[in-house]
Amino acid sequence: MKNIMKFSLLIVTLISCFILSGCSKNNFTGTWVGVNPEMHSLIKLTIQENGDKYIVAEDAYKYKPDKDLPIPKQYSLLAIRNGFKQKQTVTYDFNLILTKEKSPLPNTTATLSEDKDHLIVQGENLSNILYIPEDDTLVFNDVKFIKVKNNDDITKSLKDLKSNSIFSLKHRYHKYSERFNLESTDTVKIGNITFDDSALIESK
């Protein structure tokens, strides 16, 4: 009988440890990445334990062209009407470089909540860092973060950022396209768009 009670107590202890470990403080530590669509930026969040507190650091990255964006050549309407000038079709290629920005969040500290499901971040106008156990993600300032285990995790997050950058370029030159160009400027075609992620992706 005593052995059965001991065994039952051991099982209960193991189950309790398992439940508690599901929301342990170690769930927060590490490097996390998320995309802020409003700011067109990728956010890297680094969380480290420091005694009974945490140090939280945030870096922001954006895609920027390697040179000034071209401006279509403009012609005089009078010259065009008189046949002296003829608009041309030009193709623009772009190389966008991932560039580290100055983050609005300086290094700050945070403490673990009593229920261990979020970090209380010290600072004005900063939300708590919430851990979502269902998919092992964090939510901070309305941005969802995934944990970085290798470069593939960063690459996945950059996909959305690249799509936003391509859309932004096409929107910028939309009125100069073959279908919509009613301006007295050259017609613009979007050529190759390449990306340089070396600022964040480690070379293998």
Side-chain angles (χ1 to χ4, degrees):
M1 187 70 177
K2 288 183 178 179
N3 289 336
I4 294 176
M5 291 182 63
K6 287 181 179 180
F7 180 74
S8 300
L9 182 61
L10 178 62
I11 294 296
V12 171
T13 302
L14 288 174
I15 292 174
S16 300
C17 291
F18 178 77
I19 293 173
L20 289 174
S21 65
C23 287
S24 72
K25 63 180 183 177
N26 292 326
N27 286 327
F28 295 93
T29 58
T31 300
W32 306 76
V33 289
V35 174
N36 186 333
E38 293 183 0
M39 301 300 293
H40 300 287
S41 60
L42 180 137
I43 308 298
K44 184 178 76 170
L45 202 63
T46 304
I47 303 175
Q48 296 177 317
E49 287 189 66
N50 185 27
D52 60 349
K53 295 184 180 295
Y54 292 81
I55 297 176
V56 180
E58 182 182 88
D59 293 315
Y61 295 83
K62 288 186 177 182
Y63 281 116
K64 292 186 176 182
D66 61 350
K67 55 187 176 183
D68 292 339
L69 292 177
I71 300 174
K73 186 177 180 181
Q74 189 167 12
Y75 303 92
S76 163
L77 283 174
L78 180 60
I80 292 175
R81 288 171 183 168
N82 291 334
F84 297 120
K85 295 287 185 181
Q86 186 174 1
K87 296 194 295 183
Q88 300 180 13
T89 297
V90 295
T91 301
Y92 291 155
D93 295 327
F94 300 93
N95 181 35
L96 302 181
I97 300 174
L98 193 65
T99 306
K100 188 175 181 179
E101 300 276 294
K102 183 178 180 181
S103 173
L105 173 67
N107 286 11
T108 187
T109 59
T111 54
L112 188 66
S113 64
E114 289 186 4
D115 53 13
K116 297 184 179 181
D117 69 347
H118 66 274
L119 293 180
I120 304 168
V121 183
Q122 307 300 313
E124 295 183 4
N125 302 319
L126 294 176
S127 64
N128 295 327
I129 300 176
L130 179 65
Y131 177 69
I132 311 297
E134 289 77 12
D135 55 2
D136 190 28
T137 59
L138 298 181
V139 175
F140 179 51
N141 287 340
D142 297 324
V143 176
K144 190 170 186 176
F145 292 84
I146 63 171
K147 195 164 192 176
V148 177
K149 301 179 181 67
N150 52 53
N151 283 343
D152 290 341
D153 296 320
I154 300 176
T155 301
K156 289 176 185 177
S157 295
L158 286 174
K159 276 187 176 180
D160 290 338
L161 197 60
K162 290 178 180 178
S163 297
N164 290 342
S165 299
I166 292 172
F167 176 81
S168 179
L169 282 174
K170 290 183 175 180
H171 178 73
R172 180 185 181 94
Y173 292 100
H174 179 70
K175 67 178 181 180
Y176 303 114
S177 64
E178 288 180 309
R179 185 176 177 183
F180 296 99
N181 188 10
L182 300 177
E183 306 286 334
S184 56
T185 62
D186 284 338
T187 297
V188 174
K189 285 186 176 180
I190 302 295
N192 295 323
I193 302 177
T194 55
F195 297 89
D196 181 350
D197 301 331
S198 56
L200 196 55
I201 300 293
E202 297 178 3
S203 54
K204 296 181 181 180

